[in-house]
């Protein structure tokens, strides 16, 4: 599995159209009125990686198994959602289940598509969503303070954990009350797990998706440039996409897509750019396994050591880890596969402390 990305935004910004295009389905109802999406739609897409085809050909693999990305189309929010306006908190709960937020922002003008605020202003839209998420986090944390304070008065292990959690909660509350997202909380590596357990909406990494008009798909427009500037200021990711174009691409046969993209001045579908931006945002990389039966891609966090990377395939691989036979993708491809890389001395035996690199082709030795 790659990662789980929640598609979020105000009503009528093109979220469901984008979801349908990215997942090449009609699972999400795309309508010109608020709340056309009530239950979250979930779709999986294969993560495109040209290295897979190269490896499979060299390994003479019977099949290819790409890693997959899950998109969750979450209903459009409105101002006051944290207090139950629109469809309210039932949608906010869905956001807590994702790894990152793809915040779709309307950067196109179309008199035939209503805007919930009556005017096209992407920065105001962003601030509306961010405010609702911060208010929901603020309410969530304030409800916990008294209970944690009582637990923290003890002297056992639970009291120690309560004190540590209360400290994190207090730091987050300072930011939220100042109108800043919880992701800005300064924390030590050992606090990261406890911080994630708080389930704060504004702690999630954000990828802004500027939904623009078809004519501006290759260049962006003044509205999308405002969002790009905002994203740079925040240290967030930003991708410019025309949901209409992506929907048209999804309907084309695979062999016609490249020709269509060239005709409108694009090198690749927006999905590819969205996935790359998401991987960079979450600090994810891909390693491979290759053999006669199958060539497969596996997604891990950058910095993962070999035994933990092996666990992505099967937990037994981590428990009984002995070593990892490792070849860099560039060497595997240039030297004609595993045999050529081994003969050239490019196959390495790596132990438990080896940090897996993007593109590594690995074979794990283990004993159970």
């Amino acid at each position: 599995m790659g990662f789980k990305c929640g598609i979020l935004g105000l009503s009528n910004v093109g979220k469901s159209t984008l979801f349908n295009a990215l997942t090449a389905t009609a699972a999400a109802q795309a309508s010109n009125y608020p709340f056309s999406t009530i239950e979250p739609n979930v779709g999986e897409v294969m993560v495109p990686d040209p290295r897979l085809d190269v490896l499979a050909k060299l390994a003479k693999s019977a099949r290819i198994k790409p890693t997959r990305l899950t998109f969750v189309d979450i209903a459009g929010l409105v101002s006051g959602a944290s207090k139950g306006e629109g469809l309210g908190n039932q949608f906010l709960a869905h956001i807590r289940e994702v790894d990152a937020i793809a915040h779709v922002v309307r950067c196109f003008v179309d008199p035939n598509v209503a805007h919930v605020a009556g005017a096209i202003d992407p920065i105001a839209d962003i601030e509306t969503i961010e405010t609702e998420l911060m208010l929901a986090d603020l309410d969530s944390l304030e409800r916990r303070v008294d209970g944690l304070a009582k637990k923290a008065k003890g002297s056992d292990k639970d009291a120690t954990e309560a004190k540590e959690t209360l400290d994190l909660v207090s730091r987050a509350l300072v930011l939220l009350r100042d109108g800043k997202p919880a992701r800005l909380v300064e924390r030590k590596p050992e606090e990261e797990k406890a911080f994630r357990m708080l389930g704060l909406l504004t702690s999630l990494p954000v990828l802004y998706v500027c939904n623009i008009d078809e004519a501006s798909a290759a260049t962006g427009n003044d509205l999308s440039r405002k969002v790009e500037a905002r994203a740079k200021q925040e240290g967030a990711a930003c991708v410019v996409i025309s949901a209409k174009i992506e929907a048209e691409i999804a309907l084309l046969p695979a062999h016609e897509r490249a020709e269509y993209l060239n005709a409108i001045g694009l090198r690749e579908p927006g999905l590819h750019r969205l996935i790359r931006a998401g991987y960079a945002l979450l600090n994810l990389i891909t390693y491979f396994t290759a053999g006669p039966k199958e060539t497969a891609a596996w997604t891990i966090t950058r910095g993962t050591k070999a035994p933990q990377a092996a666990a992505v395939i099967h937990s037994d691989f981590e428990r009984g880890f002995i070593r990892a036979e490792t070849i860099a993708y560039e060497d595997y491809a240039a030297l004609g596969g595993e045999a050529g890389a081994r003969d050239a001395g490019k196959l390495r035996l790596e132990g438990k402390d080896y940090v897996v690199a993007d593109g590594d082709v690995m074979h794990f030795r283990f004993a159970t």
Side-chain angles (χ1 to χ4, degrees):
M1 182 59 64
F3 62 94
K4 195 172 186 179
C5 188
I7 300 179
L8 182 67
L10 294 176
S11 297
N12 292 347
V13 297
K15 294 186 306 82
S16 294
T17 299
L18 182 63
F19 174 86
N20 291 342
L22 296 180
T23 58
T25 71
Q29 179 186 1
S31 303
N32 181 22
Y33 57 89
F35 315 130
S36 63
T37 305
I38 297 176
E39 291 300 320
N41 298 288
V42 179
E44 285 193 348
V45 298
M46 294 183 293
V47 175
D49 194 323
R51 296 175 294 184
L52 271 170
D53 290 329
V54 175
L55 293 172
K57 185 176 181 180
L58 291 171
K60 297 181 173 60
S61 302
R63 64 173 184 165
I64 294 175
K65 181 182 177 182
T67 190
R68 304 181 75 84
L69 163 62
T70 301
F71 282 113
V72 182
D73 179 27
I74 299 166
L77 296 181
V78 296
S79 181
S82 60
K83 293 180 170 57
E85 294 295 327
L87 292 170
N89 287 324
Q90 61 178 301
F91 296 133
L92 296 175
H94 296 144
I95 306 170
R96 302 185 199 279
E97 301 172 3
V98 301
D99 299 309
I101 292 172
H103 184 164
V104 182
V105 186
R106 180 170 171 173
C107 294
F108 66 89
V109 177
D110 186 341
N112 297 315
V113 180
H115 189 284
V116 291
I120 309 301
D121 186 342
I123 302 304
D125 291 354
I126 288 171
E127 290 174 350
T128 294
I129 293 288
E130 187 87 323
T131 296
E132 293 307 318
L133 299 185
M134 285 192 289
L135 288 172
D137 281 347
L138 193 60
D139 179 64
S140 172
L141 293 182
E142 287 178 338
R143 291 172 184 269
R144 303 184 203 187
V145 171
D146 288 345
L148 287 168
K150 289 178 182 178
K151 284 186 180 180
K153 291 178 180 178
S155 56
D156 56 5
K157 182 181 177 182
D158 288 344
T160 301
E161 290 179 356
K163 288 175 186 176
E164 293 171 351
T165 303
L166 183 59
D167 182 47
L168 279 172
V169 167
S170 298
R171 280 183 267 161
L173 282 171
V174 169
L175 285 169
L176 291 166
R177 287 167 178 159
D178 194 33
K180 298 175 182 176
R183 72 181 68 93
L184 299 180
V185 171
E186 293 185 8
R187 52 200 184 269
K188 301 173 184 176
E190 58 268 25
E191 295 178 312
E192 199 61 46
K193 183 178 179 181
F195 183 71
R196 287 198 306 270
M197 292 296 289
L198 295 177
L200 300 177
L201 303 174
T202 61
S203 70
L204 294 169
V206 175
L207 165 61
Y208 292 114
V209 182
C210 300
N211 185 15
I212 62 172
D213 57 283
E214 295 167 275
S216 305
T219 60
N221 59 24
D222 290 341
L223 294 172
S224 68
R225 281 186 274 278
K226 289 181 180 178
V227 178
E228 289 174 320
R230 166 87 177 224
K232 185 176 181 180
Q233 184 181 10
E234 294 180 3
C238 187
V239 175
V240 175
I241 287 178
S242 168
K244 282 189 176 181
I245 288 177
E246 296 302 315
E248 291 169 4
I249 292 171
L251 296 175
L252 291 174
H255 65 278
E256 294 181 14
R257 292 176 183 176
E259 184 178 343
Y260 175 81
L261 287 167
N262 286 333
I264 59 177
L266 294 175
R267 293 184 300 171
E268 60 181 350
L271 171 62
H272 296 196
R273 289 181 280 116
L274 180 58
I275 289 174
R276 282 201 303 273
Y279 267 55
L281 182 68
L282 291 172
N283 209 20
L284 302 175
I285 62 171
T286 302
Y287 78 87
F288 304 98
T289 53
K293 289 185 179 180
E294 176 183 270
T295 289
W298 308 93
T299 298
I300 57 174
T301 303
R302 189 178 300 277
T304 300
K305 293 185 178 180
Q308 288 70 51
V312 175
I313 301 175
H314 198 289
S315 57
D316 285 349
F317 285 21
E318 179 181 11
R319 284 196 297 268
F321 182 89
I322 299 173
R323 64 179 180 274
E325 297 177 359
T326 307
I327 304 169
Y329 168 78
E330 290 77 9
D331 293 331
Y332 194 103
L335 297 168
E338 182 179 332
R342 182 187 292 108
D343 292 344
K346 296 297 183 179
L347 186 152
R348 312 184 309 273
L349 298 180
E350 303 289 1
K352 293 182 178 181
D353 291 331
Y354 175 68
V355 176
V356 178
D358 183 60
D360 276 350
V361 184
M362 310 188 80
H363 178 69
F364 296 104
R365 298 290 185 185
F366 68 103
T368 56

